[in-house]
Amino acid sequence: DEVAIAITAMNKWYGQFHVLRDIDMTVHRGERIVICGPSGSGKSTLIRCINRLEEHQSGQIIVEGVELTNDIKDIDKVRSEVGMVFQHFNLFPHLTALENVRIALQRKRGDNFDFWRSKKCLDALNERACELLDDVGLNEWTNTVAVEMPYGRKRALEIATTLAIEPDLMLLDEPM
C-alpha cells in the first residue's frame, strides 16, 4: 500500500498555454496505470514532470518519498530510481541489442572502465544482457544493430535497457 507517486494540485504552463491543470494523482507501488488522451493533451509532459525533466510551476510532486523541487540532489535521487522509456529512442543505433543493454548494465554498476574490460566481467554482463533481451522477446535479435531493427523491436530494446538499471519505478511514454 506504499505510495510511489503522489501529485497534488500540480500545474504546468508553456508560456500562456496551461498544459496541465490541477493534477491530483496517487500511484501505489506495484500498481500499473495507463494515461490515455489525444496528441497534445499533456501525457508526455506529465511523465516528464514526474522525472523532473520538465519543471512544474505549482503544486507538489512526490516520487518514492522525495518531493521534486529545485534541489539537484533530490532530482538525482529520483532519477536514479526511476527508469524512463521515451517516445523517441535513446539507443546507440550503431551498436547491437546486446551492446546497448550491456552499456546500461555498466552504467548502473559504475564507471570503472578497466574492471568492465575483464573477460570474467564481460561474460557476466553479456549473460545478464541476454536474460533481459529474452525477457522482452529479443533473444533472436541479440546481435542485430539497433538501427536495423523494426520499430517494435527497438521499443522492446529500449525497455530492456531501462530494465537493466533495475528501477524502482518505470515511466513509459508510448511504449508500443
Side-chain angles (χ1 to χ4, degrees):
D1 213 26
E2 280 182 59
V3 173
I5 301 170
I7 300 176
T8 308
M10 193 264 283
N11 289 275
K12 168 73 179 160
W13 287 266
Y14 290 121
Q16 296 298 313
F17 180 57
H18 195 172
V19 66
L20 299 173
R21 185 184 309 265
D22 297 324
I23 303 296
D24 290 308
M25 180 172 79
T26 302
V27 180
H28 293 90
R29 284 179 106 16
E31 188 174 20
R32 293 177 182 96
I33 67 163
V34 175
I35 299 172
C36 296
S39 181
S41 64
K43 301 177 303 291
S44 295
T45 300
L46 176 62
I47 67 171
R48 290 175 62 82
C49 286
I50 292 170
N51 209 13
R52 194 57 174 199
L53 297 171
E54 294 275 351
E55 184 177 346
H56 61 287
Q57 280 79 31
S58 68
Q60 183 180 54
I61 302 174
I62 299 173
V63 179
E64 298 287 339
V66 177
E67 183 175 359
L68 290 176
T69 63
N70 289 328
D71 187 331
I72 298 296
K73 285 181 11 185
D74 286 344
I75 293 169
D76 287 344
K77 181 174 179 4
V78 166
R79 287 185 185 158
S80 72
E81 298 171 0
V82 176
M84 187 158 171
V85 176
F86 295 89
Q87 274 186 23
H88 304 287
F89 301 115
N90 280 332
L91 300 170
F92 294 103
H94 63 291
L95 298 179
T96 66
L98 178 73
E99 291 166 328
N100 269 283
V101 176
R102 190 174 64 213
I103 285 172
L105 288 166
Q106 288 170 313
R107 192 175 135 244
K108 172 67 178 176
R109 288 168 172 76
D111 295 327
N112 185 340
F113 185 71
D114 290 332
F115 173 72
W116 296 121
R117 292 180 60 188
S118 74
K119 176 153 177 36
K120 181 179 178 182
C121 184
L122 282 174
D123 289 346
L125 287 171
N126 287 339
E127 182 178 332
R128 179 65 182 133
C130 286
E131 290 171 2
L132 289 164
L133 290 167
D134 189 48
D135 287 347
V136 297
L138 291 179
N139 53 334
E140 295 177 13
W141 296 82
T142 301
N143 295 313
T144 305
V145 176
V147 73
E148 296 173 0
M149 298 173 83
Y151 177 86
R153 300 300 181 185
K154 285 180 189 174
R155 183 58 65 213
L157 177 55
E158 181 126 338
I159 291 169
T161 61
T162 303
L163 289 170
I165 65 168
E166 300 172 0
D168 292 336
L169 177 70
M170 282 186 65
L171 304 171
L172 295 92
D173 195 358
E174 297 187 23
M176 291 294 184

